[in-house]
Amino acid sequence: MSQSKGVVLVTGASNGIGLAAANAFLDAGYTVYGLSRHPFPGARHRHLVADVTDEAGVTAAVDAILSEQGRLDVLVNNAGFGISGAVEFTSDREARRQFDVNLFGTLNCIRAVLPHMRAQRSGMILNLGSVAGVIPIPFQAFYSAAKAAIGSITMALQNEVRPFCVRVSALLPGDVKTGFTAAREKNAAGSDVYAALDRSVAGMERDEQNGMAPAVIGRRIVAIAEKKRPKALYSCGLQYQFFLLLQRVLPVRTLNWLVGLLYAKA
């Protein structure tokens, strides 16, 4: 029996990018644990049940992995969901839930693994951001904001934990064809006021369903996790690398005008 290359925990591992990442790590020779809110009997990986917003549940899952394996080498923070709707008509409850899962759920996982990675003086934390976190999308403002926060925390954390030989990066995917589209919570309130809302959301969903296969992102995640000196932020696909280049070189006013033409024109 070949020796494992390391122990990996992937959150949101029951479908989409998370499942693709878990399978890619397995194919690359790692011992893989997946985490999601519900049991996943058909998993190739070892599946644990916990909600990332439940700090105690996340800590218990990490402790169970450490009890079995004695170490944890890679954390992939993938769990998340999306909401859409006009800023004016999005309630505090909806906005806070978006941040509770996508941001604070990620932080719960980071806090659970970091003491162990610092103690073993090795490890990789790979967060899933989004191109939308760098180029905010109308009618997807709170998803964009949560993913922007992931990018900021990734960059700050990379410098904080460098003395402990812990690596930190974020991958910023663009459109990927997964169940994320169907799971999006769509708030149509205000569509009589904002004529572009329905068209914008329909366009997002069409782009997602014509997007990259999750297996492509899964392989990219493994490649980044294996880098000895990773950058803070990565993208995937020439199209999205081009978009991020535009974000760096175009004036903010011009870039936001172009985004408005794509996503906010009735």
Side-chain angles (χ1 to χ4, degrees), residues 205-266:
E205 296 189 334
R206 182 177 60 251
D207 291 344
E208 288 166 358
Q209 289 308 293
N210 290 316
M212 291 179 286
V216 174
I217 307 298
R219 292 191 294 269
R220 179 70 162 150
I221 287 170
V222 174
I224 295 168
E226 292 184 336
K227 291 181 181 293
K228 292 183 179 179
R229 297 181 64 187
K231 298 186 298 183
L233 304 177
Y234 289 89
S235 60
C236 187
L238 291 176
Q239 175 184 357
Y240 302 105
Q241 291 172 8
F242 176 69
F243 288 161
L244 294 179
L245 175 63
L246 288 181
Q247 184 270 334
R248 290 195 295 269
V249 301
L250 287 180
V252 171
R253 181 174 181 175
T254 303
L255 180 66
N256 214 34
W257 176 75
L258 289 172
V259 172
L261 285 181
L262 289 172
Y263 293 107
K265 188 175 180 181

Side-chain angles (χ1 to χ4, degrees), residues 60-75:
V62 170
D63 287 345
I65 296 170
L66 292 166
S67 177
E68 290 180 12
Q69 302 294 332
R71 63 183 298 111
L72 180 57
D73 300 291
V74 180
L75 166 67

Side-chain angles (χ1 to χ4, degrees), residues 12-23:
S14 59
N15 55 65
I17 291 174
L19 179 57
N23 287 334

